[in-house]
Amino acid sequence: MILCALVFKISAQSTGSSAAPVVFFEAHPNQQFGFDASIHKEWSSEYETWDNAPQKPYKIPFKSVGFEQTDLVNARLINGDTLQMDSLVFRIEETNQLLLFVEKEEGLLMLELPPMNRNYLLKAIYRGREIGQLKVIPYKLRTEKVYLIPLAASKVNIDSLQAKVNRIYRQANVQIQLELLPVFEHEEWDAATLLDNPSAIHERYSNQMHDLRDLYLERNPNIDKKGYYLFLVPGFVDPKQHGYMVRNKALGFVKVDNSPKLSLAIARQLGYGMGFFKDTWMDQGPEKGTTRNLMDIPSGKEMRAKQWSQLRFTSHSYSLFDNYEDVRTNNGFVAYYFWKEKKNGELDLGKGNFLAAIKHPYKKNYLSYHLNIDNILFEPLFTLGGHFINSLHFVMVIVVIVLLFYFGRKVTRWIKIRFKRHRLWRFGWRMLQLCATPYVIYLLMLFINLGYSWFEVRSGNLNDMKGLSINRAIGYMAVNDNEKHPSEVDLSSELVIQTGKTWRKEERMPVLYFAVRKDKDGEWTKVRLHDHSDSLVLSTREYAQKAESHYMVFNYINDAGSFEQQRVFNHAGNEITDKLDIPDPAKRILLFVNGYRPTSIGHSFEENFADIQQNGLEFPDSRNLVYTFDRYEYWKPWNAIDSKFEKRINPSETFYADGHFSVSTSNHRSLINFTTISAAYPKRCSNKKKHHCYTNNSAKNLLGNRTVRTANMHRTRPNKKGFRKRLNSGHIAGRNIYQMLNEVPNRSENDTIYIVAHSMGYAYALGIIEELRGKIQFGTFYIIAPENASAGKVRLSEWQDVWQYGSRFQKGKGDAPCLLDGVAPQVRTNGLRNSNRIYIPEKLYKKKGFFDSHFIGYYTWVLDIEKGRRGYVAPH
């Protein structure tokens, strides 16, 4: 730790206040925990300014300690030549407890901090006057498991490595438990492979990283779900890159190095993943390489108090997936199957059985999209705006330009003959040519691109996949997006079959029937696909139902040609044959529907959108898939609000639907509009009894600032088109939920669904409800801070209860403007009575505001509503 004394002495000399004694706290060389003082002006806003300090400026430093543990800190006296030590005391403000100190050398004192269990302010007082302050923060011990996965044998001293990493993380009283796992080897991965250079802003993994992770998870499906995983790799294409980890994720990659750099690389990557730290130079931070912070380059070992807080914050994710990729889930309109096939059409079982030979890694809502182009004119040269550009485009552009030039001259001559004032007409004609030519060329390009439909592979060989192994083929298809047909209407199956080195694609119906016969040794090893259907039919059980999901049926056929046995498996590979005859119990289904997902991770919704204002990025719209876990860490990180609802409702199954769509679908209509109003909107008034937020002069027009009523800044005009887009997409998710509930066909009618929807998720939830209406019972609908609530309608009569929670927005009435939800102004949902609305309690004044009144993490108060009161979340 750099001693702060020199900095403070210079400050004292510059201010000319040498006569006033002052105490500055600094790190003790033998401290156990952390210390953080304001050194860099770029971070000065993170420290509270002491206005009445004897020497200004005085930024109050921070000291971390263990919960109910002691630690050492130094106090340096400035201008204390005439100070009498017996008149100097150090006192804890909250308890008036006095601390003893030892004078180590002239002007340098050492204090032992007492064991405490809450934050406190330590003051240095001389003859009744405060001359120094220190904020002390006790942290409970937090333990995190980190697993190191080597790709090749290496000499890693795990004990030494753990000790070095923990010396850094002890600043926040976080203990890292390192465990070295066995070397991971796979025939699909070369251990000497250098990883491609990843994203500089740590928001997504590369395709190589996806592949390595997926290969490991396939081999090790039962890994610790609450641990962090670091692959020890040979390196990156950029030799200066020592590691990579996506912020707030549990998967990382670190370059193998037996030098001290390895411990620093591990500590730094865990900073991204475990603490969701940023590089120090981001957000107008100090220049790169000027600090000794862990997140600077070259890496230091220090942390700021803000970083301690981030490490301790409850928003921790153990996800191995970034927010941009598809995660395998057992719902979707199209089920994908991969297998190897012999030339005679039988499955190539290799050394396994037929169940293992048929890979069924994921479902999607669309069929894969492939082009087998055998015409040189259509061979893509490059892409422009998502469209292929080929030789035919250039040929046709040249033809159009030549024709326009030829006919243009003829029209020009005709104008000269036809009109007396031909110059004006010629000018108009040229302007028309200038405007029309790009438009004609654009239409021509689109017309030519229609020709690609001739080369689209619906069923047939996939030339681009020739020679790929089955695992590589699965990875290749996983990232194949069908932008031309983004969603199918009916359930179907896509078969991707390898024969030799050739892959082919076949489209089939949702139920696949395989014929299984005995070989010459009497073993059931001869398997081939012999039929497909939209119905699940088992003649041996006299069972026939329309399929609501995807199935594999294996018909064991004896020598006489009759069925000896029939077995049914779902797409996940679980046998459900016996379930077909079991009575269906009534179940409670809890569904969470999230809203807009910011591209930033912060402590608050406001911090999230502050990052958006800076980088202007949005995640892609929802894929309309449904998950059995909080896929995007929307609910659980924020005080585990989903777990609180689960505990109260006690569901049989819990699902998560993603209602995220672009800001353009909201009432703000664009990210620019949103960021403009959020920047101009007044902050929460400091005095809740004296508001000055009813008018605002921050809104600008062409003439400069103007005063407006703050209530009029809210975007209340419904964006019906955007709302409809989200509602229609919700229909797809609803169909997928119905599929998940009907693994055994027609089994959801006696189930009851409870829905918790937030923000944009409200419109999406309405689409789900429309799809499930008549197919399931409706329990309670919990609508939290809905966006554009007036555009949709709830049928109150079909629910046991419906509650809308949010701020009290009424122009001229309700809460003061600074307390209102500006992200989604809270109007009453159509179909509800005023008695169905529950407003944010007055006692939560400091959790209200433009962002705060919308932030899902602050809505845990919903679970605190007492029984018998409106909005109570009843147990079941």
Side-chain angles (χ1 to χ4, degrees), residues 599-600 605-617 671-672 674-680 683 850-851:
T599 55
S600 168
F605 201 79
E606 185 169 6
E607 288 183 13
N608 293 157
F609 272 103
D611 281 354
I612 288 177
Q613 291 181 50
Q614 180 180 344
N615 57 38
L617 297 175
L671 197 57
I672 294 176
F674 176 80
T675 53
T676 300
I677 189 175
S678 64
K683 303 297 182 183
F850 187 93
F851 291 98

Side-chain angles (χ1 to χ4, degrees), residues 413-549:
R413 287 197 295 268
W414 179 78
I415 289 174
K416 284 183 178 181
I417 298 171
R418 179 69 176 78
F419 300 99
K420 292 182 178 180
R421 296 183 177 182
H422 58 81
R423 289 185 178 179
L424 181 61
W425 284 95
R426 283 171 59 192
F427 176 77
W429 167 240
R430 287 173 180 171
M431 290 301 297
L432 178 62
Q433 284 181 298
L434 185 65
C435 296
T437 299
Y439 184 65
V440 170
I441 291 174
Y442 174 71
L443 292 179
L444 184 63
M445 292 176 65
L446 294 182
F447 177 74
I448 292 173
N449 280 348
L450 292 176
Y452 280 111
S453 61
W454 301 336
F455 308 101
E456 185 176 342
V457 182
R458 303 292 292 187
S459 289
N461 290 343
L462 303 177
N463 297 336
D464 291 342
M465 292 176 59
K466 188 172 183 178
L468 293 182
S469 66
I470 193 164
N471 283 316
R472 293 293 184 191
I474 290 171
Y476 179 88
M477 295 290 278
V479 296
N480 182 289
D481 288 341
N482 191 337
E483 297 181 0
K484 186 175 180 181
H485 310 288
S487 181
E488 295 295 317
V489 176
D490 299 315
L491 295 178
S492 63
S493 300
E494 179 164 317
L495 316 183
V496 189
I497 303 170
Q498 183 183 31
T499 305
K501 292 186 177 182
T502 302
W503 287 93
R504 74 178 188 275
K505 166 189 171 181
E506 295 181 2
E507 297 177 12
R508 295 292 183 264
M509 286 188 279
V511 185
L512 303 180
Y513 291 89
F514 293 87
V516 186
R517 289 183 169 87
K518 293 180 180 180
D519 59 18
K520 61 182 179 179
D521 298 322
E523 301 292 334
W524 298 97
T525 60
K526 301 174 68 175
V527 185
R528 68 170 66 233
L529 178 70
H530 76 94
D531 201 359
H532 60 107
S533 172
D534 63 354
S535 299
L536 184 58
V537 180
L538 300 179
S539 58
T540 57
R541 290 176 175 258
E542 297 184 353
Y543 182 94
Q545 292 284 353
K546 175 74 179 294
E548 302 294 351
S549 189

Side-chain angles (χ1 to χ4, degrees), residues 547-564:
E548 302 294 351
S549 189
H550 300 87
Y551 307 95
M552 295 177 284
V553 180
F554 294 93
N555 295 324
Y556 291 75
I557 305 174
N558 58 29
D559 295 337
S562 60
F563 292 161
E564 188 166 311

Side-chain angles (χ1 to χ4, degrees), residues 681-739:
Y681 201 85
K683 303 297 182 183
R684 183 174 55 244
C685 296
S686 57
N687 187 345
K688 63 182 179 180
K689 295 183 179 179
K690 189 175 182 181
H691 285 279
H692 51 78
C693 55
Y694 288 95
T695 59
N696 187 290
N697 62 359
S698 297
K700 294 183 178 181
N701 60 14
L702 294 177
L703 301 177
N705 290 357
R706 61 188 176 92
T707 300
V708 297
R709 289 185 62 202
T710 304
N712 291 338
M713 296 177 67
H714 287 272
R715 307 293 186 180
T716 56
R717 182 168 64 89
N719 182 348
K720 295 182 180 179
K721 181 179 178 181
F723 191 93
R724 176 59 57 180
K725 177 180 180 180
R726 285 182 268 136
L727 185 143
N728 289 339
S729 297
H731 276 271
I732 301 174
R735 183 66 185 85
N736 282 327
I737 292 171
Y738 183 65
Q739 176 186 157

